Amino acid sequence: MGLSAGILNTIGDTALVQLVRVADGFPGQLFAKLEGFNPTGSTEDRSAVAAVDELLRRGELVEGATLVAETGSADFAASLTQVCRSRRVELVCVVGPAVEAAVGGLLRAYGARVEVPDGAAADEPARAAFARDLAGRIGGHWPGSHSALRRAESDRRAAREILEHVDGPLDLVICDADSPAVLRGCADQIRLLGLATELVAVHLVGDADAPMPADPGVEGVRHRLRIDRTTAARACRRLVEREAILAGPRSGAALAAFEQLADALAPDAKVVLLFPDKGHRHLDSIYS
C-alpha cells in the first residue's frame, strides 16, 4: 500500500487470501476477499462512499449540508460517518438501540449526531418516518429509507480487484446480498467482460425459519441463498479455528453458502467468497 490522498482513497484493494484449511476435501481453489481491511472494517465503506458521492453528484448534497440517514446496520453507520466527515457533510444518524450500543460512541467520535427514536429498535419504516420528519424540521436532506440510500450506483472495484489477482477463469463469486453496491458491481463486471462466472447472493437471516428476504433486484445473480445466524456463527468459529480469520456473521454466511454448494462444483473450480465484515464487533455474540 502506497501513499493515499485522503482516507477514502484507502477504500478497496483489500487482501485476497487463499483458504487452505477450512474447506477440507474441496479439490478446487477457495479464496476470501477480506473486506475488513477497509478503513472502518467492512465492505460498507464501498457502499457508503458510493451512496454519498452519488448524492453529491446529483446536487442533493453539497459541502456543509446536513444528511439525515436512517440505518439498521452498525457497519454501514460507521462507514457513513467517516465518509460524511471526509466529504464535509454533516450527518444525523437515526438508529435503533442495538446499533447505538454497538457503534454510538464511534459515530459521535466522527462528529455525527445520533438519534434513537422511541419504539424503533428494529422497525425500518418507523425509523425512516422519524428521519424524514426530522430532516423537515432541521432543513436536512433525507434520501429515503436505509434501503433507498444504499441503492447507489454499482461499485465494480471489488470485482476488478478479484479478477486481477485470481489466475485463470473464475467459476463462482459468493457475495453478501446486503452489500448492494458491491453485489451489483460484481454482476455488472461479469456481464461487461462476458465471463461465465456465476454469482451467488447470500442473505443473512435471524433464524432457520425466517422467510427469504426481498429480491435485491440485481441482474445476473444465479442463486440466492438464505443462511441463518446460528449457521453463520458456527462458520465464523471454524474460520478462526482453522484459518485464524476473525470474521463477522455476514462473512460466516458466505462460507456456509459455499459449503452448501461445494459438492455441485467442478473438481478444479475457483471460488471467491467476499467476506464483508470483521468479527471485532461480534465478540460477545459469536466468540464468547
Side-chain angles (χ1 to χ4, degrees), residues 182-252:
V182 176
L183 178 64
R184 190 175 300 111
C186 287
D188 289 348
Q189 191 70 7
I190 290 169
R191 186 168 57 250
L192 177 69
L193 297 177
L195 302 177
T197 306
E198 293 190 350
L199 182 62
V200 172
V202 180
H203 299 264
L204 180 64
V205 298
D207 57 62
D209 295 325
M212 177 68 84
D215 191 327
V218 176
E219 183 182 350
V221 172
R222 179 66 180 271
H223 300 289
R224 294 173 59 219
L225 295 181
R226 180 189 62 193
I227 303 295
D228 65 86
R229 287 189 174 274
T230 299
T231 301
R234 289 174 182 152
C236 287
R237 290 192 287 272
R238 287 195 296 277
L239 272 171
V240 75
E241 290 165 1
R242 301 180 188 180
E243 303 284 356
I245 294 174
L246 191 74
R250 292 190 291 154
S251 300

Side-chain angles (χ1 to χ4, degrees), residues 156-180:
R156 299 180 185 177
R157 291 175 298 169
R160 288 197 292 262
E161 293 164 19
I162 290 168
L163 295 169
E164 179 181 347
H165 294 292
V166 173
D167 185 28
L170 179 60
D171 296 274
L172 184 66
V173 173
I174 299 179
C175 186
D176 174 44
D178 198 37
S179 301

